[in-house]
Amino acid sequence: MNLSLYLLTVLIWGTTWIAIKLQLGVVAIPVSIFYRFALAGLLLFVALLAMRKLQKLDRRGHWLCVGQGLCLFCLNFLCFYSATQWIPSGLVSVVFSAATLWNALNARIWFGTRISPRIMAAGALGFCGLVLLFWPELAGQEASHETLLGLGFALLGTLCFSTGNMLSSLQQRAGIRPLTGNAYSMLYGAAILLVGCVVAGLPFGFDSSPAYVGALLYLAVLGSVVGFTAYLTLVGRMGPARAAYCTVLFPVVALSISTVVEGYRWTPYAFAGLALVMLGNLLVFTKWSPFTKRAGVAGKIA
């Protein structure tokens, strides 16, 4: 079940960049994000009501969902969209890949969970692997005020993502299932985005072209309802640090698709980076570990 959820998340989120790219242009970015999560939250909420699966939340449960909506379905996306205006998407992916390490650290701070050497090594390998994958893009990036600004937004977005993971863990420990938690959190996140768009005076235009509408439906249904539910279920089942290794594999899937769609060319650096990413994946999902104390004895999964 864990592996199935993991692969589902990676495949879905590794393809959402195509839909996001199709949404750029006519509609303001914050408004498009609002449309995405308002639609996703409404669909999920109505479906759970129809199936009588929607849980009733107490005051603490609602506040946990407000926090998750703010961090995971609002600030997280605003920060990363802003970051891509200043720095290449490859550099954004490298910064985001550090979510594995941030989740391990935050799980220690929030829940007292031991930081596993296996997971830290996997996160470091994944980070280095993405640096190699995007090395040509990173090598051409000049140090400037804009670069620092973009890095700051990407780092803040990663921290918001990690904080949202911790809040989801708190929800699940309180007995709130991911489907219910996501339904409320997406609607709260959309409400916060709505207020922000109104205050900022952004026009609520809409692009009725098939490309925009299709992208919106893909992002709302698969990218949000299915993707986030699968991922946050993993957070509850595997722990935040192991689940966050998905963030390392998203760019690999995206580059694989880009090879066919956009003619991306794999370099020796890229192949070396892919090898490091897969080695990190081996640490996350198998019993093999370089930290095993006795030869031939498999390490306990963190």
Side-chain angles (χ1 to χ4, degrees):
M1 177 62 73
N2 286 350
L3 184 58
S4 298
L5 290 171
Y6 184 82
L7 292 176
L8 180 64
T9 306
V10 169
L11 290 175
I12 289 176
W13 282 356
T15 57
T16 52
W17 66 273
I18 302 174
I20 290 173
K21 189 174 181 180
L22 291 173
Q23 285 201 309
L24 300 178
V26 177
V27 183
I29 289 173
V31 175
S32 284
I33 300 173
F34 161 71
Y35 289 154
R36 171 181 177 175
F37 289 113
L39 178 59
L42 185 61
L43 288 174
L44 188 53
F45 198 90
V46 171
L48 290 174
L49 276 178
M51 295 184 295
R52 298 182 179 180
K53 297 290 186 180
L54 186 69
Q55 295 174 272
K56 292 184 178 180
L57 304 185
D58 57 16
R59 180 178 297 180
R60 180 173 181 268
H62 279 288
W63 278 114
L64 287 174
C65 289
V66 170
Q68 183 180 322
L70 175 64
C71 293
L72 205 54
F73 303 124
C74 179
L75 295 179
N76 168 38
F77 283 88
L78 290 176
C79 286
F80 280 113
Y81 273 106
S82 299
T84 55
Q85 295 179 353
W86 304 107
I87 58 177
S89 58
L91 185 51
V92 174
S93 297
V94 170
V95 176
F96 190 41
S97 72
T100 300
L101 307 178
W102 281 114
N103 273 9
L105 179 60
N106 278 332
R108 176 65 177 176
I109 296 172
W110 287 53
F111 308 116
T113 305
R114 182 180 67 88
I115 297 178
S116 167
R118 173 201 293 270
I119 300 303
M120 297 302 287
L125 284 171
F127 180 85
C128 293
L130 287 189
V131 169
L132 289 175
L133 274 169
F134 291 104
W135 180 248
E137 191 175 0
L138 303 183
Q141 180 69 19
E142 298 180 359
S144 64
H145 172 73
E146 288 77 12
T147 300
L148 292 177
L149 187 61
L151 286 172
F153 274 117
L155 178 59
L156 181 58
T158 306
L159 291 176
C160 289
F161 176 82
S162 180
T163 302
N165 284 203
M166 300 305 114
L167 290 167
S168 178
S169 292
L170 285 176
Q171 288 179 8
Q172 294 181 60
R173 292 182 181 210
I176 302 173
R177 292 187 292 271
L179 283 171
T180 293
N182 280 352
Y184 281 104
S185 297
M186 287 178 184
L187 289 177
Y188 281 130
I192 295 170
L193 281 165
L194 176 62
V195 172
C197 291
V198 171
V199 171
L202 296 177
F204 284 85
F206 190 79
D207 184 353
S208 58
S209 67
Y212 184 88
V213 174
L216 176 60
L217 291 174
Y218 184 84
L219 290 170
V221 178
L222 287 178
S224 300
V225 174
V226 179
F228 272 104
T229 299
Y231 173 74
L232 293 177
T233 300
L234 276 177
V235 169
R237 292 173 62 94
M238 298 173 55
R242 292 179 68 201
Y245 200 80
C246 291
T247 63
V248 177
L249 289 183
F250 301 156
V252 175
V253 174
L255 287 179
S256 299
I257 295 174
S258 182
T259 302
V260 178
V261 177
E262 299 176 325
Y264 173 79
R265 295 183 179 180
W266 288 79
T267 65
Y269 284 115
F271 281 114
L274 178 61
L276 289 179
V277 169
M278 298 315 295
L279 180 58
N281 201 63
L282 188 67
L283 284 176
V284 172
F285 282 100
T286 70
K287 294 182 178 182
W288 175 83
S289 173
F291 304 101
T292 302
K293 294 182 179 179
R294 297 191 305 272
V297 179
K300 183 180 179 182
I301 294 179

